[in-house]
């Protein structure tokens, strides 16, 4: 099928590349000229494991094209994905201006036979009908009559395992009023539904939830709000564990084995971040507020998370007392491992708070340190090696659970430090190993 993906960020590029890999004819459109030039030269503008290789093979097979020309993409595609960013406004509302610009663009150049416009961006409830209205306005202005429908197809991929998640989804959600649109979407995803590209091809087909537009939009927000709440819950339990002397990692195991609870998203630490949870939870709170409903549980989820990020600073103060003039080294900057995404990373708040208290902050991150880019970071010196990071530090803080951090030579790092203190913000390291390496180890609720 002919597919156009508009917006080639973490979601759009992965979607386009994966759909091309399974045999569709894909054109990806982005208005960032530099990004498009890079992709046309065969390079991925983002770090995502396995993406560059797949991008190259799909391009070589002639299934994948990149352009800045929206008209070309829209007129070529029969299925048009909108996958642009939907960040938060300072009020917590969703900034839908990029979606609006794309919908207007589509309306101004849509032609040909029946088309399906797919909202893959996470958009406020009601956006499906809103996009339809904007496209229709454009068509009317140009005196065009094109038969089209809008589908909500929220994305659940995780950065760091986005390719795997696309080929092995837990479910596919499709929301639309149109049977014709749903049937084309089912045809598009058939190889994925039938698990032809899955790790385990013997599993039953991927469940597809077919629903109305608003429910599909709400499913995305409810999923992220639930996961964020689960993390805030275990963090609250961890804080109680810290006080009563229990070990939250054991609690997580003990409750996670209950099939009604499940073991995922029960790792206590410095809280959730990234480009999705914070903005999606806040958008849902805002939507509820628009309808006169106060989201007490979701407000608490956010508040627990805000406080949790700064628990690192409290623990440092408890151990080092005055932080003014102390040097703190952060292991990790990105909001999670295997990504270069720094959006709303807990490390950023920790850096700000440490700076406010007069500490000097250094950091090492496997991706950020090597990229040579400072990702808009202020108040931190990014070191090129863990040895340089540890040199002269009063404490190390593990902020991102990069796998590389499991196998560092901690005994050597302890030697280089002023005081061998490590705060493990992800409960990722083995406390006994750290002790043997000469560290005073402190975790979160353990
Ligand atoms: N990142 C994730 O893990 C994730 C997961 C699920 C859902 N989502 C949702 O998917 C959407 C996209 O997220 P992302 O992280 O990929 O965003 P992103 O910021 O990485 O990428 C957005 C892309 O859209 C492009 N763009 C903006 N305006 C455009 C226009 N008018 N025409 C063409 N291109 C345009 C930008 O240049 C950029 O390349 C968001 O709504 C997000 O909430 C993201």
């Amino acid at each position: 099928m002919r597919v156009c993906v508009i917006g080639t960020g973490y979601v759009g590029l992965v979607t386009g590349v994966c759909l091309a890999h399974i045999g569709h004819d894909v054109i990806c459109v982005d208005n960032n000229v530099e990004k498009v030039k890079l992709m046309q030269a065969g390079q991925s503008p983002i770090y995502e494991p396995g993406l560059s290789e797949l991008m190259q093979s799909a391009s070589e097979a002639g299934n994948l094209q990149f352009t800045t020309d929206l008209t070309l993409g829209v007129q070529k595609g029969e299925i048009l994905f909108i996958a642009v960013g939907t960040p938060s406004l300072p009020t917590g509302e969703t900034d839908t201006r990029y979606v609006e610009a794309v919908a207007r663009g589509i309306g101004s150049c849509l032609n040909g036979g029946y088309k399906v416009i797919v909202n893959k961006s996470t958009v406020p409830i009601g956006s499906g009908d809103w996009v339809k209205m904007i496209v229709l306005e454009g068509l009317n202005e140009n005196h065009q009559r094109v038969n089209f429908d809008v589908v909500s197809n929220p994305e659940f991929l995780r950065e760091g395992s986005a390719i795997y998640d696309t080929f092995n989804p837990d479910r596919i959600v499709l929301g639309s009023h149109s049977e014709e649109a749903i049937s084309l979407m089912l045809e598009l995803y058939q190889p994925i539904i039938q698990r032809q590209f899955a790790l385990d091809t013997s599993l039953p087909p991927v469940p597809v939830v077919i629903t109305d537009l608003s429910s599909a939009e709400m499913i995305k927000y409810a999923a992220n709000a639930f996961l964020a709440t689960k993390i805030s819950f275990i963090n609250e339990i961890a804080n109680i564990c810290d006080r009563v002397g229990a070990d939250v990692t054991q609690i997580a195991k003990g409750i996670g084995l209950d099939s009604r609870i499940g073991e995922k998203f029960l790792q206590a630490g410095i809280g959730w971040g990234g480009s999705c949870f914070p903005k999606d939870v806040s958008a849902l709170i805002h939507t509820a507020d628009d309808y006169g409903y106060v989201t007490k549980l979701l407000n608490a989820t956010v508040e627990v998370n805000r406080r949790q990020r700064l628990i690192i600073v409290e623990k440092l103060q408890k151990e080092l007392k005055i932080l003014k003039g102390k040097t703190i080294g952060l292991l990790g900057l990105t909001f999670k491992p295997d990504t270069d995404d720094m959006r709303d990373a807990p490390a950023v708040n920790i850096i700000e708070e440490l700076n406010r208290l007069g500490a000097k902050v250094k950091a090492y991150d496997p991706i950020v340190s090597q990229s040579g880019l400072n990702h808009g970071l202020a108040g931190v010196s990014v070191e090129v090696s863990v040895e340089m990071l540890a040199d002269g530090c009063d404490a190390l803080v593990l902020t991102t659970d990069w796998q590389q951090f499991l196998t560092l030579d901690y005994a050597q790092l302890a030697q280089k430090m002023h005081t061998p203190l490590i705060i493990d913000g992800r409960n990722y390291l083995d406390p006994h190993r750290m002790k043997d390496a000469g560290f005073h180890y402190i975790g979160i609720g353990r």
Side-chain angles (χ1 to χ4, degrees):
M1 298 173 87
R2 285 174 287 109
V3 178
C4 167
V5 180
I6 305 155
T8 57
Y10 291 86
V11 166
L13 185 55
V14 169
T15 302
V17 167
C18 290
L19 289 174
H21 181 72
I22 66 176
H24 296 299
D25 182 6
V26 179
I27 182 162
C28 291
V29 182
D30 204 288
N31 63 356
N32 182 322
V33 179
E34 293 309 313
K35 247 186 180 181
V36 172
K37 271 191 200 153
L38 209 61
M39 294 184 290
Q40 284 171 336
Q43 286 175 41
S44 168
I46 53 165
Y47 174 74
E48 186 59 47
L51 181 60
S52 295
E53 294 80 350
L54 227 56
M55 200 173 137
Q56 209 172 342
S57 64
S59 299
E60 280 165 13
N63 289 349
L64 187 60
Q65 240 183 298
F66 297 98
T67 181
T68 51
D69 186 347
L70 182 70
T71 305
L72 180 71
V74 167
Q75 297 192 345
K76 180 176 171 181
E78 50 191 317
I79 298 190
L80 315 174
F81 279 94
I82 302 178
V84 293
T86 46
S88 269
L89 290 166
T91 54
E93 276 173 285
T94 307
D95 184 351
T96 51
R97 84 180 98 151
Y98 305 105
V99 175
E100 183 174 353
V102 172
R104 286 207 188 285
I106 293 175
S108 69
C109 62
L110 199 65
N111 73 346
Y114 179 68
K115 307 254 182 177
V116 180
I117 299 173
V118 186
N119 265 344
K120 190 150 251 329
S121 297
T122 304
V123 282
I125 294 118
S127 295
D129 291 329
W130 172 70
V131 163
K132 183 168 188 172
M133 183 190 81
I134 295 172
V135 174
L136 274 174
E137 279 172 9
L139 286 173
N140 290 339
E141 268 171 36
N142 297 312
H143 311 290
Q144 291 280 332
R145 284 173 70 87
V146 179
N147 194 9
F148 76 95
D149 281 302
V150 177
V151 171
S152 165
N153 172 217
E155 180 54 62
F156 301 100
L157 63 75
R158 298 161 299 173
E159 287 177 21
S161 54
I163 304 278
Y164 173 87
D165 292 344
T166 304
F167 291 135
N168 303 270
D170 291 335
R171 77 305 208 182
I172 290 173
V173 174
L174 300 173
S176 181
H177 310 302
S178 155
E179 279 180 24
E180 190 176 4
I182 294 287
S183 112
L184 280 174
M185 292 302 289
L186 289 173
E187 187 185 335
L188 178 83
Y189 282 130
Q190 218 32 237
I192 293 177
I193 293 170
Q194 296 306 330
R195 300 198 189 269
Q196 287 168 20
F197 294 85
L199 196 61
D200 183 352
T201 51
S202 68
L203 288 172
V206 174
V208 182
V209 179
I210 297 174
T211 181
D212 57 280
L213 271 169
S214 307
S215 301
E217 289 161 352
M218 186 65 166
I219 286 170
K220 175 65 191 172
Y221 284 108
N224 276 357
F226 182 84
L227 294 172
T229 302
K230 200 171 174 188
I231 299 173
S232 281
F233 170 81
I234 199 66
N235 283 336
E236 188 131 279
I237 297 293
N239 297 341
I240 303 171
C241 282
D242 257 340
R243 284 157 178 85
V244 299
D247 181 348
V248 74
T249 62
Q250 296 298 309
I251 316 302
K253 193 172 168 191
I255 64 171
L257 286 168
D258 185 328
S259 59
R260 293 169 302 176
I261 296 175
E263 63 197 12
K264 292 184 180 159
F265 282 73
L266 283 182
Q267 284 76 39
I270 51 173
W272 39 274
S275 66
C276 289
F277 283 11
K279 79 172 175 65
D280 291 350
V281 178
S282 115
L284 188 53
I285 291 173
H286 206 278
T287 298
D289 186 53
D290 280 347
Y291 290 82
Y293 181 76
V294 179
T295 52
K296 294 200 173 180
L297 179 63
L298 297 182
N299 293 352
T301 293
V302 171
E303 176 52 22
V304 167
N305 196 57
R306 189 197 60 75
R307 202 177 54 182
Q308 199 67 18
R309 292 180 171 198
L310 301 180
I311 266 180
I312 291 294
V313 179
E314 279 173 33
K315 286 181 185 277
L316 286 168
Q317 281 177 321
K318 192 167 169 221
E319 296 302 319
L320 299 172
K321 310 300 175 204
I322 295 169
L323 295 183
K324 203 178 179 89
K326 300 277 178 8
T327 303
I328 312 297
L330 303 187
L331 281 165
L333 283 166
T334 53
F335 83 97
K336 66 179 204 171
D338 295 320
T339 182
D340 54 356
D341 200 342
M342 282 296 304
R343 289 179 281 186
D344 215 339
V348 174
N349 291 105
I350 295 170
I351 292 166
E352 282 167 4
E353 186 62 4
L354 288 173
N355 283 168
R356 193 182 70 79
L357 293 167
K360 178 180 170 196
V361 187
K362 306 202 278 180
Y364 171 81
D365 181 278
I367 288 282
V368 179
S369 292
Q370 268 148 46
S371 70
L373 305 169
N374 90 340
H375 292 258
L377 288 164
V380 56
S381 83
V382 179
E383 306 294 337
V384 293
S385 71
V386 275
E387 290 75 20
M388 286 175 75
L389 175 75
D391 199 21
C393 271
D394 293 283
L396 286 181
V397 177
L398 189 136
T399 35
T400 316
D401 42 349
W402 283 97
Q403 207 183 356
Q404 291 93 319
F405 295 159
L406 285 177
T407 51
L408 299 178
D409 184 347
Y410 281 101
Q412 191 205 7
L413 297 184
Q415 296 284 329
K416 289 185 165 290
M417 292 173 65
H418 191 235
T419 28
L421 167 67
I422 187 156
I423 315 269
D424 182 357
R426 300 286 181 184
N427 285 348
Y428 192 55
L429 304 170
D430 178 353
H432 301 295
R433 230 192 102 213
M434 287 301 119
K435 197 170 166 219
D436 291 347
F439 272 99
H440 176 39
Y441 172 93
I442 292 173
I444 309 282
R446 75 198 293 209

